[in-house]
Amino acid sequence: MPVSNASHVLVTGGTGFIGSHTVLELINQGYKVVVVDNLCNSCEEPLRRIEKLAGLDHKIPLFKLDLADRDGLRAVFREYAFLSVVHFAALKAVGESVHKPLAYYRNNIAGTLNLLEVMADFGVTNIVFSSSATVYKANSDGSAFREDSELGCTSPYGRTKLYMESIIQDVVNAEKGWNAIMLRYFNPTGAHESGLMGEDPMQIPNNLMPYMSQVAIGKLDKLHVFGTDYNTRDGTGVRDYIHIMDLAEAHVAALKRLPANQGYEVFNIGSGSGQSVLEMIDAMSAASGINIPYSKDPRRSGDIDTILCDPTKAADVLGFKVSRTLQQMCTDLWRWQTNNPNGYAKQ
Ligand code: NAD
Ligand code: WQD
């Protein structure tokens, strides 16, 4: 149901993969959106596609700004009255973070500190934060993670998420009136069903599904299946994949809950069921009609057998459940990939 008296929502990282799909969903739900993004891993084109899909007669305001630029951020807050902030902006490559920890701590944590300080200065005290399943300590039995499962991560990237959650929790505890919702995403994939929006990796993808779709379209030779000796049903890693538009809807559900003055809350956002790498290859081969070539390679350092989401709390409290199937994830991803073989760049 569209919100009444919509005020502006600031979306940091709103031109990125998850941010852009969420911006579309927010606009479709009646929110007025302002985007801040330094375009370090994205471009402006998704906003043009959103304007087209949502039938907007104006441009979505975009401030090309690094969160490091506190004065720039202050100017944005002076120009718009924000009800809430959805904070996506971050560096997110796990492997890169191992080699460049300081860049990750500086970008993700210092950027978040600036954002929180400016929010506080302007009395904006509602935030939805992009966290990750990576904050959970690996378990050996493959059971689904609940929000109260033990935390602990192995990469600097993961630690930035864990520390940012703690920083936000401290702010909520220290100052009355703050409402913060941490969304711990599992494995987002797919694309908007129009084929106009999707994930557009700037380099060779690190993640399974964008890599696989580039193999299917012939940009990459073959998929490397990292590890076939895991303790799973077929020996390959099992993950909980979620359609990007389901994930976008989860943000709207979180935003609607924020003004309820619940303080600090954490929710897992996933489907509750897991697929192995080989099952994902089968699903994508079926969606694309292409026999995806792959080799069985050694394990990737840092990976574990199974990462599964227990989505019960999000269902009970946010009323959020995924509604799209694995087949839809693959069909939509393939439509995006074939319609936009070069991503958002001019074809
Ligand atoms: P993305 O790289 O596509 O989007 C992030 C956006 O933030 C980009 O547009 C980038 O240009 C911008 N950005 C980065 N640092 C910035 C800064 N200092 N100032 C301004 N803009 C900045 O990534 P995504 O997949 O859309 O991820 C969004 C969020 O979700 C991130 O916080 C990520 O850590 C988190 N997350 C992603 C996944 C996933 O698998 N994609 C899973 C769990 C959590
Ligand atoms: C999925 C499965 C791989 C690539 C990562 C981050 C996590 C979160 C989501 C941000 C695993 C296998 C992969 C390939 C493969 N991001 N694989 N060949 O590792 O579950 O999660 O993205 O917060 O923090 O760690 O996702 O897509 O990389 O891997 O066989 O070329 O696919 O081993 O089993 P992951 P993924």
Side-chain angles (χ1 to χ4, degrees), residues 65-98:
L65 194 73
D66 196 302
L67 293 182
D69 178 0
R70 197 169 0 172
D71 290 340
L73 258 186
R74 293 181 68 83
V76 179
F77 277 71
R78 266 196 297 275
E79 195 170 332
Y80 290 93
F82 295 116
L83 179 62
S84 319
V85 174
V86 188
H87 179 30
F88 294 100
L91 299 176
K92 63 162 183 177
V94 175
E96 184 184 59
S97 79
V98 175

Side-chain angles (χ1 to χ4, degrees), residues 54-71:
L56 292 184
D57 57 6
H58 62 273
K59 281 193 158 188
I60 298 163
L62 165 67
F63 291 85
K64 290 178 222 166
L65 194 73
D66 196 302
L67 293 182
D69 178 0
R70 197 169 0 172
D71 290 340

Side-chain angles (χ1 to χ4, degrees), residues 94 132 134 157 187 207-208 224-226 239 241 300 303:
V94 175
S132 168
T134 197
Y157 163 73
N187 290 60
N207 296 117
L208 178 67
H224 300 268
V225 175
F226 295 145
R239 298 292 183 268
Y241 296 91
R300 182 173 66 179
D303 277 354

Side-chain angles (χ1 to χ4, degrees), residues 224-230 232 234-237 277 295-300 303:
H224 300 268
V225 175
F226 295 145
T228 50
D229 58 348
Y230 284 111
T232 59
D234 62 18
T236 66
V277 175
S295 59
K296 295 181 173 179
D297 285 34
R299 293 181 177 200
R300 182 173 66 179
D303 277 354

Side-chain angles (χ1 to χ4, degrees), residues 13 15-19 36-42 65-67 88-92 107 130-132 157 161 185-186 188:
T15 54
F17 173 43
I18 307 172
V36 164
D37 199 303
N38 66 1
L39 306 182
C40 71
N41 197 35
S42 58
L65 194 73
D66 196 302
L67 293 182
F88 294 100
L91 299 176
K92 63 162 183 177
N107 188 77
S130 294
S131 191
S132 168
Y157 163 73
K161 290 289 169 194
Y185 319 147
F186 282 67

Side-chain angles (χ1 to χ4, degrees), residues 133-138 149-155 158-159 162:
T134 197
V135 299
Y136 290 115
K137 187 165 192 271
S149 295
E150 193 178 349
L151 302 178
C153 36
T154 50
S155 74
R159 274 187 283 277
L162 211 46

